[in-house]
Amino acid sequence: MLAPLSLRAIIQFLYKKGWHDYKITNRFHKMSAPESISSSVKITLPLTDNNEFDNSLLHKVVDFISEFYEFPSGELISSFIKNSAIFSTQLIDESTTHGNVPFLRYEHHLQELKNLLLNNASFGVSGKHYVKDIPEEANTYLNLCSFLQTERGSFISKIQLPSSIDLSVNLFEEYSVQSDSINNKLGSVLKFVVDDIYKSPANDIYSVEHVKQNAQLINIDVFENINNIFKRTGVGEINFALLGADFDLKIESGVVGVDEFKQLENYIDLASTVFANHVEIDSRGRVIQLRSSHAKGSKNLVIISRSQSNLKPIHVELENNQYDLAITAHKAKSNVFIKGTALETKQYLRIVRLMDFHVV
């Protein structure tokens, strides 16, 4: 059975290539090639894509397009499958020149792609800057994704994404969650990270104003996923592409290394502070780390692990006399009491207003 193709996606592709309508009957939609190529070249499309005859004719059109533009037929069919978009990643490295990649690298690559798609879907559904609980719609989105055949001649992973699908769980809610909005979010966030954060001078992006202006594109978990795709796959460059009926996005990373990783990590730290929640702390715990920049300085960082294992650790800067108490508690393995206001980040709580600190 032939894969069901989208008439709309094929027409959009032809419009982008400069084709135009020259005749529409009660059964067919006829298009003509741009004059710059040859206005005598015609294509006949069905008016719908609702039955086997329509789908068979669409496959013949795709075969013609493939030959006309010298595109791989399989790639075009993947792009035109009904209710789908295609997300692809191309690994560029000496080890992938002949279309192979070490097993562990690819295993890491697939895991991080899964994390990226799931967390991006959660971001698209919730709009939140951190992923705490995965929405059911995000899991539904991931379950609708599927891998497509890898292209010959290069190491390209292609994932079919759901398109034109309402992912809403509760039919009685006033809002709907569309898969297309999640796909668009994926492209926008990838482009923002690769083109703006990786490639821009730090002075141009490292500001609270920049973070706030781009808040709709910032999710801490998704950013970490993107960094990890490069780190854990272990290649210098990855090209991304997102192809659908309404978009054709290509993102070339160029060489991404230690400097780029650090720049994104710094941006994540800044964004974590900007979007952190203020919480009141009244807690006990153990000092697990002491860090002082100078014996007589005021930058004395202490990390406290709280009694309950599921609670985030507390980071606090202490004055010298309080830092001495922390050293004493650490050596004696005694509990300390801490009270104040903290900023909640993804990994820890950072005290911004300390009201009390003493050894219990």
Side-chain angles (χ1 to χ4, degrees), residues 13-79:
F13 174 87
L14 292 171
Y15 280 155
K16 288 177 183 178
K17 292 293 184 182
W19 290 65
H20 57 273
D21 307 328
Y22 80 92
K23 189 176 182 180
I24 297 178
T25 70
N26 60 351
R27 292 188 63 194
F28 299 109
H29 182 162
K30 301 187 177 187
M31 301 184 71
S32 178
E35 292 186 4
S36 59
I37 298 177
S38 174
S39 58
S40 64
V41 179
K42 315 289 185 184
I43 285 179
T44 299
L45 297 156
L47 279 181
T48 71
D49 52 14
N50 296 332
N51 55 55
E52 290 185 17
F53 171 81
D54 296 337
N55 194 51
S56 177
L57 181 53
L58 289 176
H59 273 269
K60 291 177 181 178
V61 170
V62 171
D63 287 341
F64 171 80
I65 294 173
S66 172
E67 184 177 347
F68 189 77
Y69 285 106
E70 298 181 348
F71 285 165
S73 176
E75 181 178 349
L76 283 175
I77 289 175
S78 298
S79 303

Side-chain angles (χ1 to χ4, degrees), residues 124-141:
V125 172
S126 68
K128 295 180 180 178
H129 303 292
Y130 299 93
V131 177
K132 290 187 177 180
D133 299 309
I134 302 295
E136 190 172 341
E137 294 93 339
N139 282 314
T140 300
Y141 175 89

Side-chain angles (χ1 to χ4, degrees), residues 52-117:
E52 290 185 17
F53 171 81
D54 296 337
N55 194 51
S56 177
L57 181 53
L58 289 176
H59 273 269
K60 291 177 181 178
V61 170
V62 171
D63 287 341
F64 171 80
I65 294 173
S66 172
E67 184 177 347
F68 189 77
Y69 285 106
E70 298 181 348
F71 285 165
S73 176
E75 181 178 349
L76 283 175
I77 289 175
S78 298
S79 303
F80 296 146
I81 291 177
K82 201 170 185 178
N83 293 336
S84 72
I86 308 301
F87 175 50
S88 63
T89 58
Q90 180 184 19
L91 310 184
I92 303 175
D93 188 74
E94 288 184 3
S95 65
T96 66
T97 302
H98 302 293
N100 63 297
V101 67
F103 182 84
L104 287 179
R105 283 192 184 183
Y106 193 53
E107 181 182 25
H108 294 324
H109 183 68
L110 295 184
Q111 183 61 51
E112 293 305 328
L113 281 179
K114 174 188 173 183
N115 293 340
L116 173 63
L117 292 174

Side-chain angles (χ1 to χ4, degrees), residues 272-289:
S272 297
T273 301
V274 172
F275 298 129
N277 297 318
H278 284 84
V279 294
E280 298 303 318
I281 298 297
D282 185 340
S283 191
R284 295 170 181 245
R286 290 277 183 91
V287 175
I288 59 172
Q289 189 171 341

Side-chain angles (χ1 to χ4, degrees), residues 84-203:
S84 72
I86 308 301
F87 175 50
S88 63
T89 58
Q90 180 184 19
L91 310 184
I92 303 175
D93 188 74
E94 288 184 3
S95 65
T96 66
T97 302
H98 302 293
N100 63 297
V101 67
F103 182 84
L104 287 179
R105 283 192 184 183
Y106 193 53
E107 181 182 25
H108 294 324
H109 183 68
L110 295 184
Q111 183 61 51
E112 293 305 328
L113 281 179
K114 174 188 173 183
N115 293 340
L116 173 63
L117 292 174
L118 183 60
N119 287 333
N120 177 74
S122 299
F123 182 30
V125 172
S126 68
K128 295 180 180 178
H129 303 292
Y130 299 93
V131 177
K132 290 187 177 180
D133 299 309
I134 302 295
E136 190 172 341
E137 294 93 339
N139 282 314
T140 300
Y141 175 89
L142 186 66
N143 288 335
L144 291 171
C145 296
S146 58
F147 275 98
L148 298 171
Q149 184 176 358
T150 300
E151 294 179 22
R152 294 181 179 180
S154 60
F155 211 89
I156 298 179
S157 300
K158 297 203 298 187
I159 302 172
Q160 181 179 323
L161 308 177
S163 180
S164 304
I165 292 178
D166 189 342
L167 302 169
S168 304
V169 174
N170 190 342
L171 298 178
F172 298 100
E173 294 287 353
E174 295 181 354
Y175 71 93
S176 66
V177 179
Q178 298 295 323
S179 58
D180 287 352
S181 67
I182 293 174
N183 297 339
N184 286 327
K185 178 76 76 175
L186 175 63
S188 299
V189 173
L190 274 170
K191 184 172 177 59
F192 177 66
V193 170
V194 172
D195 289 348
D196 288 8
I197 300 181
Y198 279 156
K199 297 179 181 179
S200 298
N203 291 338

